[in-house]
Amino acid sequence: MKTLLCSVALVALMMAAPAQAADLTELHSFDGIAWDGGKAATVSHLAPIAGLHFAPDGRAFVSVPRWISADVSATLNLLVDDGSGVARLTPFPELVAQSLTASPADSLRNVLGFHVDTTNGWLWALD
């Protein structure tokens, strides 16, 4: 019940705020995605990017859950902008650590959420 009340209060606060046009700035735009050492853009439509977080050093991490297809090479990646118009995803920490055939205790399978801790630089993932 406490969670429900908090949610209702948040919605009420959002509705009470005056309607304003937000000033948005586009930082990056990509025409597709491709993985280093894995599948190319042929499966990018099967890989919705679900999370984006930045480390204190500026690195961008993205999660790509394997909800739609197991053909997605890696579920946790570094996003690299090489200027080509295609977002290059580099498996993090490495591709072999994200194998679907390895033991679930030893590999990332389907990262649903993650957080980069700015205090100590750790990346926490819910897999």
Side-chain angles (χ1 to χ4, degrees):
M1 184 66 172
K2 188 174 185 178
T3 303
L4 177 62
L5 291 176
C6 290
S7 298
V8 171
L10 180 59
V11 170
L13 286 173
M14 290 171 50
M15 292 174 56
Q20 297 177 8
D23 292 330
L24 302 176
T25 302
E26 182 177 277
L27 298 176
H28 293 285
S29 176
F30 301 104
D31 296 325
I33 58 174
W35 281 268
D36 283 350
K39 305 281 191 290
T42 56
V43 297
S44 67
H45 67 286
L46 301 174
I49 293 177
L52 169 67
H53 293 279
F54 292 90
D57 62 7
R59 292 180 299 165
F61 293 91
V62 297
S63 61
V64 183
R66 292 172 170 140
W67 292 327
I68 299 172
S69 174
D71 288 336
V72 172
S73 295
T75 186
L76 185 60
N77 304 272
L78 277 169
L79 175 66
V80 179
D81 181 6
D82 61 6
S84 70
V86 175
R88 186 167 45 96
L89 300 182
T90 302
F92 183 84
E94 58 189 354
L95 187 60
V96 299
Q98 303 194 40
S99 170
L100 289 174
T101 58
S103 164
D106 297 325
S107 65
L108 296 171
R109 309 287 222 141
N110 195 33
V111 173
L112 302 176
F114 68 101
H115 173 75
V116 178
D117 184 342
T118 57
T119 302
N120 56 25
W122 292 359
L123 188 146
W124 299 86
L126 173 62
D127 183 28

